[in-house]
Short mmCIF file of all heavy atoms in Angstrom, two decimals:
data_model
loop_
_atom_site.label_atom_id
_atom_site.label_comp_id
_atom_site.label_asym_id
_atom_site.label_seq_id
_atom_site.Cartn_x
_atom_site.Cartn_y
_atom_site.Cartn_z
N VAL A 1 -21.49 4.82 3.17
CA VAL A 1 -20.19 4.11 3.09
C VAL A 1 -19.05 5.11 3.10
O VAL A 1 -19.03 6.20 2.50
CB VAL A 1 -20.11 3.32 1.82
CG1 VAL A 1 -18.70 2.58 1.69
CG2 VAL A 1 -21.18 2.31 1.68
N THR A 2 -18.02 4.72 3.97
CA THR A 2 -16.81 5.50 4.01
C THR A 2 -15.64 4.52 3.74
O THR A 2 -15.60 3.38 4.35
CB THR A 2 -16.57 6.08 5.44
OG1 THR A 2 -17.61 7.09 5.70
CG2 THR A 2 -15.21 6.77 5.54
N GLY A 3 -14.74 4.88 2.84
CA GLY A 3 -13.64 4.08 2.53
C GLY A 3 -12.42 4.30 3.37
O GLY A 3 -12.26 5.51 3.77
N VAL A 4 -11.68 3.26 3.74
CA VAL A 4 -10.45 3.50 4.48
C VAL A 4 -9.43 2.51 4.03
O VAL A 4 -9.66 1.35 3.75
CB VAL A 4 -10.75 3.19 6.05
CG1 VAL A 4 -11.18 1.72 6.32
CG2 VAL A 4 -9.50 3.52 6.89
N HIS A 5 -8.24 3.07 3.87
CA HIS A 5 -7.05 2.27 3.44
C HIS A 5 -6.16 2.16 4.71
O HIS A 5 -5.91 3.14 5.36
CB HIS A 5 -6.32 2.96 2.31
CG HIS A 5 -5.07 2.17 1.92
ND1 HIS A 5 -5.12 1.08 1.09
CD2 HIS A 5 -3.74 2.39 2.13
CE1 HIS A 5 -3.92 0.66 0.91
NE2 HIS A 5 -3.06 1.41 1.49
N LEU A 6 -5.68 0.95 4.91
CA LEU A 6 -4.75 0.71 6.10
C LEU A 6 -3.33 0.84 5.69
O LEU A 6 -2.81 0.11 4.87
CB LEU A 6 -5.03 -0.67 6.63
CG LEU A 6 -6.49 -1.05 6.95
CD1 LEU A 6 -6.64 -2.44 7.48
CD2 LEU A 6 -7.15 -0.04 7.90
N ALA A 7 -2.66 1.77 6.29
CA ALA A 7 -1.21 1.98 6.13
C ALA A 7 -0.49 1.03 7.03
O ALA A 7 -0.49 1.22 8.27
CB ALA A 7 -0.83 3.40 6.36
N LEU A 8 0.07 -0.03 6.51
CA LEU A 8 0.56 -1.13 7.35
C LEU A 8 2.07 -1.12 7.48
O LEU A 8 2.64 -1.96 8.16
CB LEU A 8 0.11 -2.47 6.80
CG LEU A 8 -1.36 -2.71 6.71
CD1 LEU A 8 -1.72 -4.09 6.17
CD2 LEU A 8 -2.06 -2.50 8.06
N SER A 9 2.71 -0.12 6.84
CA SER A 9 4.18 -0.15 6.97
C SER A 9 4.69 1.27 7.22
O SER A 9 4.17 2.25 6.59
CB SER A 9 4.82 -0.62 5.67
OG SER A 9 6.23 -0.46 5.68
N ALA A 10 5.56 1.41 8.18
CA ALA A 10 6.18 2.75 8.38
C ALA A 10 7.05 3.21 7.19
O ALA A 10 7.33 4.35 7.10
CB ALA A 10 7.05 2.67 9.69
N ASN A 11 7.47 2.21 6.45
CA ASN A 11 8.29 2.49 5.23
C ASN A 11 7.67 1.73 4.05
O ASN A 11 8.11 0.63 3.67
CB ASN A 11 9.70 2.09 5.41
CG ASN A 11 10.58 2.31 4.19
OD1 ASN A 11 10.21 3.10 3.35
ND2 ASN A 11 11.65 1.56 4.11
N PRO A 12 6.64 2.27 3.39
CA PRO A 12 5.85 1.56 2.40
C PRO A 12 6.70 1.02 1.24
O PRO A 12 6.38 0.03 0.61
CB PRO A 12 4.81 2.55 1.90
CG PRO A 12 4.66 3.50 3.03
CD PRO A 12 6.03 3.59 3.69
N GLN A 13 7.83 1.71 0.93
CA GLN A 13 8.67 1.32 -0.16
C GLN A 13 9.25 -0.04 0.08
O GLN A 13 9.74 -0.74 -0.84
CB GLN A 13 9.78 2.31 -0.42
CG GLN A 13 9.29 3.63 -0.98
CD GLN A 13 8.85 4.62 0.13
OE1 GLN A 13 8.71 4.22 1.23
NE2 GLN A 13 8.69 5.90 -0.26
N SER A 14 9.28 -0.48 1.35
CA SER A 14 9.93 -1.74 1.68
C SER A 14 8.99 -2.95 1.49
O SER A 14 9.39 -4.09 1.53
CB SER A 14 10.36 -1.79 3.19
OG SER A 14 9.18 -1.79 4.06
N HIS A 15 7.74 -2.66 1.23
CA HIS A 15 6.77 -3.67 0.95
C HIS A 15 6.65 -3.91 -0.59
O HIS A 15 7.17 -3.13 -1.38
CB HIS A 15 5.44 -3.35 1.50
CG HIS A 15 5.39 -3.54 3.07
ND1 HIS A 15 4.22 -3.68 3.71
CD2 HIS A 15 6.43 -3.58 3.94
CE1 HIS A 15 4.59 -3.83 5.01
NE2 HIS A 15 5.86 -3.73 5.14
N ARG A 16 6.05 -4.92 -0.97
CA ARG A 16 5.87 -5.27 -2.42
C ARG A 16 5.36 -4.13 -3.23
O ARG A 16 4.45 -3.40 -2.80
CB ARG A 16 5.08 -6.51 -2.61
CG ARG A 16 5.76 -7.80 -2.30
CD ARG A 16 4.95 -8.98 -2.75
NE ARG A 16 5.73 -10.21 -2.38
CZ ARG A 16 6.58 -10.77 -3.20
NH1 ARG A 16 6.81 -10.24 -4.39
NH2 ARG A 16 7.25 -11.88 -2.80
N THR A 17 5.89 -4.05 -4.42
CA THR A 17 5.46 -2.93 -5.32
C THR A 17 4.96 -3.56 -6.66
O THR A 17 4.97 -4.74 -6.76
CB THR A 17 6.61 -1.98 -5.65
OG1 THR A 17 7.71 -2.72 -6.21
CG2 THR A 17 7.05 -1.25 -4.43
N GLY A 18 4.56 -2.69 -7.57
CA GLY A 18 4.07 -3.24 -8.80
C GLY A 18 2.75 -4.01 -8.77
O GLY A 18 2.55 -4.96 -9.41
N ALA A 19 1.85 -3.54 -7.82
CA ALA A 19 0.53 -4.16 -7.65
C ALA A 19 0.60 -5.58 -7.15
O ALA A 19 -0.39 -6.29 -7.27
CB ALA A 19 -0.22 -4.12 -9.05
N ARG A 20 1.75 -5.95 -6.50
CA ARG A 20 1.83 -7.32 -5.97
C ARG A 20 1.57 -7.42 -4.50
O ARG A 20 1.52 -8.48 -3.92
CB ARG A 20 3.21 -7.84 -6.29
CG ARG A 20 3.43 -8.18 -7.71
CD ARG A 20 2.59 -9.34 -8.14
NE ARG A 20 3.04 -10.60 -7.44
CZ ARG A 20 2.34 -11.72 -7.38
NH1 ARG A 20 1.06 -11.71 -7.84
NH2 ARG A 20 2.78 -12.79 -6.80
N GLY A 21 1.38 -6.26 -3.87
CA GLY A 21 1.18 -6.25 -2.41
C GLY A 21 -0.13 -5.63 -2.01
O GLY A 21 -1.05 -5.44 -2.85
N CYS A 22 -0.25 -5.26 -0.72
CA CYS A 22 -1.44 -4.57 -0.33
C CYS A 22 -0.99 -3.48 0.66
O CYS A 22 -1.85 -3.04 1.46
CB CYS A 22 -2.45 -5.45 0.25
SG CYS A 22 -1.84 -6.43 1.66
N CYS A 23 0.25 -3.08 0.68
CA CYS A 23 0.71 -2.17 1.68
C CYS A 23 1.63 -1.04 1.06
O CYS A 23 2.44 -0.48 1.80
CB CYS A 23 1.55 -2.99 2.75
SG CYS A 23 0.86 -4.54 3.17
N THR A 24 1.48 -0.80 -0.21
CA THR A 24 2.41 0.19 -0.83
C THR A 24 1.78 1.54 -1.03
O THR A 24 0.55 1.71 -0.90
CB THR A 24 2.91 -0.35 -2.19
OG1 THR A 24 1.76 -0.46 -3.06
CG2 THR A 24 3.50 -1.78 -2.04
N ILE A 25 2.60 2.52 -1.37
CA ILE A 25 2.09 3.76 -1.65
C ILE A 25 1.19 3.72 -2.90
O ILE A 25 0.12 4.35 -2.95
CB ILE A 25 3.23 4.81 -1.93
CG1 ILE A 25 4.03 5.06 -0.63
CG2 ILE A 25 2.78 6.14 -2.53
CD1 ILE A 25 5.26 5.89 -0.79
N GLU A 26 1.60 2.92 -3.89
CA GLU A 26 0.75 2.69 -5.05
C GLU A 26 -0.62 2.19 -4.74
O GLU A 26 -1.69 2.67 -5.30
CB GLU A 26 1.49 1.67 -5.95
CG GLU A 26 0.71 1.37 -7.26
CD GLU A 26 1.38 0.19 -8.01
OE1 GLU A 26 2.55 -0.16 -7.64
OE2 GLU A 26 0.75 -0.28 -8.90
N ASP A 27 -0.68 1.26 -3.74
CA ASP A 27 -1.96 0.69 -3.38
C ASP A 27 -2.87 1.81 -2.73
O ASP A 27 -4.09 1.78 -3.00
CB ASP A 27 -1.71 -0.43 -2.41
CG ASP A 27 -1.11 -1.61 -3.09
OD1 ASP A 27 -1.56 -1.95 -4.21
OD2 ASP A 27 -0.15 -2.16 -2.51
N SER A 28 -2.28 2.64 -1.87
CA SER A 28 -3.10 3.67 -1.26
C SER A 28 -3.66 4.63 -2.31
O SER A 28 -4.77 5.14 -2.15
CB SER A 28 -2.29 4.42 -0.18
OG SER A 28 -1.23 5.18 -0.76
N ARG A 29 -2.82 4.97 -3.36
CA ARG A 29 -3.33 5.84 -4.39
C ARG A 29 -4.44 5.16 -5.17
O ARG A 29 -5.44 5.86 -5.59
CB ARG A 29 -2.17 6.23 -5.28
CG ARG A 29 -1.19 7.16 -4.58
CD ARG A 29 0.09 7.37 -5.39
NE ARG A 29 1.06 8.25 -4.70
CZ ARG A 29 2.34 8.33 -5.04
NH1 ARG A 29 2.84 7.62 -6.07
NH2 ARG A 29 3.15 9.20 -4.50
N ASP A 30 -4.29 3.92 -5.46
CA ASP A 30 -5.30 3.21 -6.18
C ASP A 30 -6.60 3.15 -5.34
O ASP A 30 -7.75 3.28 -5.97
CB ASP A 30 -4.88 1.71 -6.47
CG ASP A 30 -3.82 1.69 -7.53
OD1 ASP A 30 -3.67 2.66 -8.33
OD2 ASP A 30 -3.13 0.60 -7.69
#
């Protein structure tokens, strides 16, 4: 198995934060 996270925004801060989205910097770190 290899894990991959999809970076879906050129500006991740513009997407939902606080664990409410799936496209943030926080999500990639998690």
Side-chain angles (χ1 to χ4, degrees):
V1 180
T2 297
V4 62
H5 178 78
L6 308 181
L8 301 180
S9 174
N11 179 21
Q13 292 87 345
S14 68
H15 286 200
R16 281 190 180 271
T17 58
R20 289 290 294 160
C22 57
C23 317
T24 67
I25 293 174
E26 176 186 352
D27 293 313
S28 65
R29 291 170 178 165
D30 287 343

